[in-house]
């Protein structure tokens, strides 16, 4: 072959290869549509009809988003690439040196996510942060001050700073493994990449002056946090699966005799005639008079919460009617209603109203809508709405949350409950995630992580090997969104370990005393998007790598739990002065301290100028007004706002709430509670000020 022909063939071949690499379905230059201050939407390719948000019908809180300071996106848009190739969407974001990434689902072992590889997939957490988790929210927050939601109900692959492209602008140094001891199998990466197995996706960008502002915008875009009814913040006890009415009365009697707080009793599968699959009908052998039962507990100020899972028993009352609207596959022989359909919400709504809500049941624990693959319907399942098996897996828990929230909302009643799966878009639904995994330390990492992704998590207590572990677990659950002992399998009581019984009671009582403070923190979540329990990395002014094992609760409390086997620990105090919650003494100023508090106390610190409004010790969440004591920390004049409303209904959404201004001056040991003119006060009968720092 003549040389020129050879060269021509080689050139053509190279051209063909280059074209093949570049051959993406054409994606028009991305259009960043501004939807609110610091929020932009971008549509890539042809997104699926169904996404994480549009099936939930929640509305962004635009006014609150717009009230946050507007800042431009701190990332060069030209360096973000969005392409469709091979029927999938490829997304790439540039990473700076030192930039940190957070979010990407409810992780249990890690908080900072740069360096991780995941496939985001709803599942029961299986022990590694590989993306299979209860809330694999495809949202990342960058320490640069922005975050992106990939609003797709698909199993999304994430390479969070692990991949190196040959055209990298900041390539890792090339090292010779033969000669260089510093050679690394994980060379530096300046890329955050996603692969969405769909021909397109909607992306929502959020900016913020701080990471906390980014998270607030994300939460508000998802409707803002839920405001639980006030009783939801008291103490919950779930009883063994086959408990009868009589057993429950005895259980409640035990709490009363010993003077332990109790707000909610949770019934497990045995309240129904049949579970796994579920009949959703009362077992009248164990509960002969459900109305009387719920009423009697209500008279004692105790709410009832019912367990359920999605599978409808084929023989039960509701099965025939709902059957045409269920998926092709079952869960433990139960029909799986397609909760995206109005027909299902109507039929199942009637069932839950008649059997539970109209009887006064306060809420549900919606179990096992997460996985594993062997129990929840597989991806080959299909649903009558046209939602695929994969999408339904990503959405099932979210759809159940929407359904149940609406049932209570139509009665103008707030509920608070539990759920095993959620995703982006569920922020405003009043459900807290839990699981069976039960590693105490990892439970706290999850508590930290939930604050990046707009979900709530409870490190629920079940059983323990030692009284030390029992107490340590009880201490952390009392500083979480839902303080609960789940005794469904073990029949444990708060007093199960007599040698720590009094200490357990103390921390449970502290939980009750903190309700005014916690309720205010939740109001900020609902109205301003600020998570009530937060990662240290979200703390403005916090410098350095954020620890996984301490967290903020509300505006002013820093909680640093100890785990069984530990007698002391390090606590990283952010900038400013911090005080010991129990004594009011100065604990440190923007430094790392070591504490050895003994078994009886969980280390808690208060920000300088923090005011913690507390009730007197009590065992029930009060229905009427009670005195409140405002504990003031530090020596400078301080102020905070205390939130109040009726504690039960959605009237607060129409403006029926009051912010009470508390001001305190330690120098003159004086304080004032200022109720705005015409403001209603529902919960407080008087205000006292206690100056903790001498
Ligand atoms: C589990 C759940 C437990 C308990 C149990 C009842 O899946 O996590 O908390 O409710 O089911 O069978």
């Amino acid at each position: 072959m003549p040389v020129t022909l050879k060269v021509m063939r080689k050139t053509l071949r190279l051209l063909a290869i280059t074209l093949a690499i570049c051959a993406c379905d054409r994606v028009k230059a991305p259009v960043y549509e501004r939807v609110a201050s610091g929020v932009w939407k971008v549509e890539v390719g042809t997104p699926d009809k169904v996404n994480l948000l549009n099936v939930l019908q929640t509305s962004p809180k635009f006014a609150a988003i717009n009230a946050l300071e507007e800042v431009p996106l701190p990332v060069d848009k030209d360096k973000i690439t969005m392409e469709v190739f091979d029927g999938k969407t490829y997304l790439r974001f540039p990473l700076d040196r030192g930039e940190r990434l957070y979010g990407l689902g409810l992780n249990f072992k890690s908080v900072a996510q740069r360096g991780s590889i995941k496939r985001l997939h709803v599942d029961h957490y299986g022990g590694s942060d590989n993306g299979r988790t209860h809330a694999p929210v495809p949202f990342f927050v960058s320490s640069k001050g922005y975050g992106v939601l990939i609003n797709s109900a698909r199993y999304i692959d994430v390479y969070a700073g692990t991949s190196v492209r040959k055209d990298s602008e900041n390539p890792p140094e090339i090292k010779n493994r033969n000669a260089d001891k510093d050679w690394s199998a994980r060379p530096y990466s300046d890329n955050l990449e996603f692969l969405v197995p769909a021909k397109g996706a909607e992306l929502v960008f959020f900016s913020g002056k701080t990471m906390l502002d980014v998270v607030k915008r994300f939460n508000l875009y998802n409707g803002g946090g839920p405001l639980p009814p006030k009783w939801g913040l008291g103490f919950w006890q779930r009883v063994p699966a086959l408990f009868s009415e009589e057993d429950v009365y005895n259980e409640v009697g035990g709490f009363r005799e010993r003077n332990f707080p109790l707000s909610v009793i949770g019934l497990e599968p045995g309240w129904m005639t049949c579970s796994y699959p579920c009949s959703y009908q009362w077992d009248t052998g164990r509960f002969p008079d459900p109305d009387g039962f719920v009423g009697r507990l209500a008279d004692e100020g105790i709410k009832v919460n019912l367990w359920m899972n999605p599978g409808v028993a084929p023989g039960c009352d509701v099965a025939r009617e709902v059957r045409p609207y269920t998926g092709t596959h079952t869960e433990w022989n139960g029909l799986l209603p397609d909760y995206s359909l109005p027909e299902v919400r109507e039929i199942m709504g009637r069932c839950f109203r008649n059997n539970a809500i109209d009887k006064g049941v306060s809420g549900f624990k919606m179990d096992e809508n997460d996985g594993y693959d062997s129990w929840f319907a597989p991806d080959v399942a299909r649903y009558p709405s046209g939602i695929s098996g994969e999408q339904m897996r990503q959405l099932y828990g979210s759809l159940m949350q929407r359904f149940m929230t609406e049932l209570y909302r139509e009665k103008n009643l707030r509920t608070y409950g539990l759920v095993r799966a959620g995703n982006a878009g569920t922020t405003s639904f009043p459900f807290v995630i839990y699981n069976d995994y039960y590693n105490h330390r990892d439970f706290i990492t999850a508590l930290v992580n939930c604050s990046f992704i707009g979900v709530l998590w409870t490190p629920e207590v079940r059983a323990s090997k030692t009284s030390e572990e029992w107490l340590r677990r009880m201490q952390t659950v009392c500083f979480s969104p839902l303080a609960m002992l789940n005794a469904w399998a073990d029949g444990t009581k708060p007093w199960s370990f007599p040698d720590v019984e009094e200490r357990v009671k103390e921390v449970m009582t502290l939980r009750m005393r903190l309700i005014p403070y916690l309720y205010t923190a939740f109001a900020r979540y609902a109205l301003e998007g600020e998570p009530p329990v937060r990662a240290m990395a979200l703390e403005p002014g916090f410098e350095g790598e954020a620890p996984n094992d301490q967290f903020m609760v509300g505006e002013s409390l820093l909680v640093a739990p100890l785990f069984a086997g530990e007698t002391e620990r390090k606590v990283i105090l952010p900038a400013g002065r911090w005080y010991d919650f129990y004594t009011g003494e100065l604990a440190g100023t923007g430094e790392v301290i070591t504490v050895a508090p003994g078994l009886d106390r969980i280390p808690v610190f208060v920000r300088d100028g923090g005011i913690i409004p507390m009730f007197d010790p009590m065992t029930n969440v009060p229905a009427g007004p009670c005195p409140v004591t405002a504990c003031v920390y530090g020596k400078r004049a301080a102020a905070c706002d205390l939130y109040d409303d009726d504690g039960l209904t959605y009237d607060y959404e129409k403006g029926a709430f009051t912010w009470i201004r508390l001001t305190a001056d330690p120098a003159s040991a004086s304080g004032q509670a200022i109720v705005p003119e015409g403001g209603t006060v529902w919960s407080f009968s008087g205000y006292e000020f206690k100056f903790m720092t001498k």
Side-chain angles (χ1 to χ4, degrees):
M1 205 187 296
V3 178
T4 42
L5 206 66
K6 256 191 172 171
V7 171
M8 264 177 71
R9 282 184 68 172
K10 208 170 159 188
T11 313
L12 279 175
R13 174 92 185 119
L14 269 175
L15 194 68
I17 288 173
T18 314
L19 283 176
I21 290 178
C22 302
C24 305
D25 294 0
R26 283 185 83 102
V27 175
K28 289 173 268 135
V31 177
Y32 287 74
E33 182 202 344
R34 182 186 181 278
V35 288
S37 128
V39 184
W40 299 264
K41 248 200 246 180
V42 178
E43 203 173 284
V44 188
T46 315
D48 291 328
K49 263 204 223 115
V50 159
N51 63 40
L52 294 173
L53 306 190
N54 67 7
V55 293
L56 301 180
Q57 302 283 304
T58 57
S59 314
K61 288 207 159 112
F62 283 124
I65 295 177
N66 289 330
L68 292 166
E69 188 180 329
E70 174 141 30
V71 285
L73 267 184
V75 57
D76 183 351
K77 286 184 198 149
D78 293 339
K79 297 203 170 126
I80 299 175
T81 61
M82 309 171 189
E83 293 166 341
V84 180
F85 173 69
D86 185 28
K88 296 178 183 150
T89 304
Y90 291 58
L91 306 170
R92 176 152 59 108
F93 302 85
L95 293 176
D96 288 348
R97 232 167 245 287
E99 181 176 347
R100 293 190 294 274
L101 297 173
Y102 298 97
L104 297 171
L106 186 59
N107 294 298
F108 287 76
K109 289 187 180 290
S110 55
V111 176
Q113 294 303 324
R114 189 162 175 173
S116 68
I117 297 179
K118 311 179 191 296
R119 173 164 293 179
L120 300 172
H121 183 312
V122 168
D123 205 336
H124 191 282
Y125 183 70
S128 89
D129 288 348
N130 58 8
R132 285 199 173 229
T133 183
H134 308 270
V137 179
F139 173 64
F140 72 85
V141 192
S142 153
S143 56
K144 272 176 86 150
Y146 83 110
V148 181
L149 166 68
I150 294 139
N151 181 16
S152 165
R154 297 279 174 186
Y155 302 149
I156 300 172
D157 288 335
V158 191
Y159 305 89
T162 58
S163 55
V164 180
R165 298 180 64 102
K166 68 179 177 188
D167 60 357
S168 165
E169 283 189 5
N170 303 292
E173 205 186 316
I174 295 175
K175 294 198 167 153
N176 175 359
R177 196 177 182 181
N178 293 347
D180 197 336
K181 279 202 204 81
D182 289 341
W183 180 91
S184 161
R186 303 284 302 266
Y188 174 75
S189 156
D190 61 356
N191 269 321
L192 165 61
E193 303 197 79
F194 293 88
L195 182 63
V196 185
K199 284 189 192 131
E202 178 188 270
L203 310 191
V204 192
F205 286 71
F206 303 88
S207 69
K209 224 171 86 183
T210 58
M211 279 209 292
L212 182 58
D213 276 1
V214 175
V215 164
K216 283 180 171 182
R217 279 199 163 89
F218 172 73
N219 290 338
L220 291 166
Y221 189 77
N222 287 301
L227 182 56
K230 215 174 250 180
W231 53 258
L233 297 178
F235 193 82
W236 296 48
Q237 172 82 7
R238 304 203 73 87
V239 298
L242 296 181
F243 253 32
S244 68
E245 166 186 291
E246 237 7 83
D247 296 328
V248 174
Y249 295 146
N250 289 336
E251 184 94 335
V252 171
F255 275 76
R256 293 290 178 249
E257 260 164 48
R258 292 174 176 79
N259 216 23
F260 272 76
L262 180 63
S263 297
V264 182
I265 280 283
L267 302 185
E268 288 288 318
W271 73 271
M272 294 186 210
T273 49
C274 172
S275 70
Y276 298 84
C278 296
S279 66
Y280 310 123
Q281 286 163 262
W282 289 86
D283 180 304
T284 45
R286 282 188 282 273
F287 295 89
D289 173 17
D291 295 84
F293 168 74
V294 177
R296 177 161 157 188
L297 291 192
D299 291 343
E300 295 204 35
I302 295 167
K303 304 284 178 191
V304 175
N305 176 286
L306 298 180
W307 175 96
M308 59 99 104
N309 74 13
V312 181
C316 77
D317 282 0
V318 76
R320 253 190 59 199
E321 212 186 337
V322 82
R323 192 182 173 89
Y325 308 104
T326 56
T328 49
H329 290 62
T330 58
E331 183 182 44
W332 293 302
N333 291 319
L335 301 165
L336 286 173
D338 181 339
Y339 278 98
S340 73
L341 295 173
E343 290 86 349
V344 164
R345 298 200 294 274
E346 160 67 29
I347 297 165
M348 297 307 293
R350 230 181 300 128
C351 165
F352 287 112
R353 246 182 256 119
N354 292 344
N355 290 328
I357 301 174
D358 290 347
K359 297 189 187 308
V361 167
S362 68
F364 289 85
K365 161 173 166 177
M366 302 190 293
D367 209 12
E368 287 136 346
N369 34 32
D370 47 354
Y372 301 106
D373 293 350
S374 59
W375 81 51
F376 198 81
D379 293 346
V380 290
R382 296 175 61 182
Y383 294 84
S385 59
I387 294 182
S388 69
E390 174 182 354
Q391 292 169 319
M392 197 52 112
R393 182 71 175 267
Q394 299 293 68
L395 290 171
Y396 208 95
S398 307
L399 287 166
M400 289 185 82
Q401 291 190 50
R402 170 196 171 178
F403 160 72
M404 211 42 105
T405 306
E406 282 173 357
L407 285 186
Y408 281 91
R409 197 178 251 283
E410 71 193 19
K411 296 186 90 133
N412 193 23
L413 270 186
R414 283 183 251 160
T415 179
Y416 200 40
L418 293 133
V419 73
R420 273 265 289 268
N423 213 321
T426 57
T427 305
S428 68
F429 299 140
F431 291 91
V432 182
I433 302 174
Y434 63 97
N435 72 6
D436 292 335
Y437 171 66
Y438 212 56
N439 176 309
H440 189 199
R441 191 175 276 279
D442 293 357
F443 267 23
I444 301 311
T445 308
L447 195 62
V448 169
N449 271 319
C450 70
S451 63
F452 294 105
I453 55 169
V455 301
L456 296 170
W457 161 260
T458 173
E460 64 167 37
V461 183
R462 295 185 173 195
S464 290
K465 290 198 187 75
T466 62
S467 47
E468 180 197 7
E469 182 194 340
W470 184 250
L471 180 57
R472 290 307 189 198
R473 282 183 180 272
M474 279 293 194
Q475 288 171 342
T476 51
V477 88
C478 285
F479 281 92
S480 83
L482 200 148
M484 181 171 72
L485 199 170
N486 178 8
W488 79 278
D490 305 282
T492 41
K493 325 274 177 215
W495 51 90
S496 282
F497 290 85
D499 53 327
V500 293
E501 176 176 340
E502 280 312 306
R503 287 159 180 175
V504 167
K505 194 199 300 188
E506 246 169 60
V507 75
M508 285 168 64
T509 307
L510 177 57
R511 166 78 181 193
M512 304 297 282
R513 296 195 64 201
L514 282 170
I515 284 177
Y517 177 78
L518 296 171
Y519 196 59
T520 298
F522 269 97
R524 286 198 193 288
Y525 193 27
L527 304 172
E528 295 162 18
E530 179 165 309
V533 175
R534 290 186 309 286
M536 295 312 299
L538 290 175
E539 184 57 18
F542 184 78
E543 304 301 336
E545 287 294 315
N548 298 0
D549 60 354
Q550 61 181 69
F551 52 91
M552 297 297 300
V553 175
E555 217 178 341
S556 302
L557 294 183
L558 188 161
V559 181
L562 277 102
F563 302 97
E566 292 180 347
T567 49
E568 59 170 48
R569 64 158 291 163
K570 289 204 175 355
V571 183
I572 307 181
L573 298 173
R577 295 159 82 82
W578 290 81
Y579 295 89
D580 182 288
F581 170 74
Y582 306 95
T583 64
E585 274 164 32
L586 182 67
T589 306
E591 62 191 293
V592 180
I593 58 168
T594 299
V595 290
L599 234 195
D600 50 338
R601 278 182 179 170
I602 174 169
V604 180
F605 304 93
V606 190
R607 199 194 287 290
D608 190 16
I611 301 183
I612 313 296
M614 301 210 271
F615 281 144
D616 292 341
M618 51 181 59
T619 53
N620 267 100
V621 179
C626 287
V628 69
T629 303
C631 297
V632 184
Y633 291 81
K635 293 191 167 171
R636 62 182 177 87
C640 79
D641 293 306
L642 172 62
Y643 176 85
D644 197 21
D645 66 15
D646 67 19
L648 290 173
T649 74
Y650 282 100
D651 290 356
Y652 74 95
E653 288 185 345
K654 297 182 211 116
F657 63 83
T658 303
W659 285 104
I660 300 160
R661 185 87 179 144
L662 301 179
T663 61
D665 182 13
S668 57
S670 62
Q672 234 192 323
I674 307 157
V675 179
E677 224 183 285
T680 309
V681 176
W682 290 263
S683 314
F684 312 115
S685 58
Y687 310 84
E688 235 182 75
F689 287 79
K690 189 169 170 190
F691 294 87
M692 299 294 294
T693 305
K694 302 291 168 234

